[in-house]
Amino acid sequence: MEDAEIIRLLFDRSERALAELSHKYGSLCGALARNILGSDQDAEECVNDAWLAAWNAIPPEKPNPLQAYLCRLTRNIAVTRYHAGKAAKRNSRYDVALDELEGCLAGWRTVEGELEAKELAQAIGRFLDGLNKEQRTLFVRRYWYADSVAELGRVTGAGSAAVSARLFRIRRKLKTYLEQEGMMG
């Protein structure tokens, strides 16, 4: 079913819209939540919470593209749940991905009063625009969707060491870019 039709069903308050969301985007959003939370049960709850959030927001919202909107809802809910449970657990796949980025982003907190997180997000967006498709895909899948290095290796056909090396070079480019933009101390 097309996104416009799903949105129309949500505007009509039809429960069929939730079934269509699950059919079309359940696997994607479930994988995203599972990558962050490391638990099938928590991921399922997170996706259900995302569907509820979409149900409550549409209408009046009319997201375009719907997929990105649902992924953002799912990711935000998963990250919130992750931080709530973080004190109890450490070393999840999401922790590892965040630790990798820390070297690129560590300095921005020193100028937090001057630099809004929104500006950093915009700078990262510009950085991603300058990458080739493969680099952009690796970066987004690793640091947004929290895919493992092994999973990225399966997708790209490269070994884990090669994927890790590519990610390292991308992070180094990001750090240099942010320094050139004056966003790192």
Side-chain angles (χ1 to χ4, degrees):
M1 177 177 286
E2 295 297 317
D3 289 354
E5 179 65 16
I6 295 172
I7 291 172
R8 189 190 62 72
L9 289 172
L10 286 164
F11 267 80
D12 292 345
R13 310 314 286 163
S14 170
E15 290 185 24
R16 181 171 166 228
L18 299 175
E20 294 297 336
L21 286 176
S22 291
H23 176 73
K24 188 166 184 179
Y25 296 114
S27 294
L28 174 65
C29 291
L32 171 58
R34 201 168 18 267
N35 285 347
I36 293 170
L37 298 170
S39 161
D40 290 340
Q41 182 179 357
D42 288 345
E44 184 179 335
E45 291 174 16
C46 183
V47 170
N48 287 337
D49 289 348
W51 292 175
L52 178 62
W55 178 269
N56 289 333
I58 305 170
E61 294 280 331
K62 198 170 189 177
N64 185 18
L66 182 59
Q67 176 180 329
Y69 180 78
L70 295 171
C71 284
R72 184 174 46 105
L73 285 175
T74 303
R75 186 177 191 282
N76 289 347
I77 291 166
V79 167
T80 298
R81 186 173 293 213
Y82 166 81
H83 286 300
K86 184 178 178 181
K89 300 180 223 174
R90 183 76 176 123
N91 295 325
S92 75
R93 182 170 33 181
Y94 189 59
D95 285 323
V96 173
L98 291 178
D99 288 347
E100 289 172 6
L101 276 179
E102 188 174 303
C104 299
L105 303 177
W108 81 273
R109 292 187 188 272
T110 60
V111 291
E112 192 167 336
E114 301 169 34
L115 177 65
E116 298 292 328
K118 185 176 181 179
E119 291 175 22
L120 179 63
Q122 290 170 344
I124 292 172
R126 290 189 304 272
F127 168 77
L128 290 174
D129 287 342
L131 297 177
N132 66 39
K133 183 178 180 181
E134 179 196 25
Q135 292 171 326
R136 190 171 42 252
T137 299
L138 280 175
F139 187 92
V140 170
R141 289 196 62 169
R142 179 70 174 144
Y143 303 115
W144 176 262
Y145 291 103
D147 283 350
S148 69
V149 171
E151 175 63 22
L152 292 173
R154 281 191 292 277
V155 169
T156 62
S160 293
V163 169
S164 292
R166 289 177 191 161
L167 288 168
F168 174 79
R169 287 191 296 272
I170 294 167
R171 289 191 310 272
R172 190 173 54 203
K173 280 184 184 180
L174 173 61
K175 183 175 182 179
T176 300
Y177 178 82
L178 292 175
E179 288 171 347
Q180 290 170 350
E181 292 286 309
M183 297 190 164
M184 301 250 332

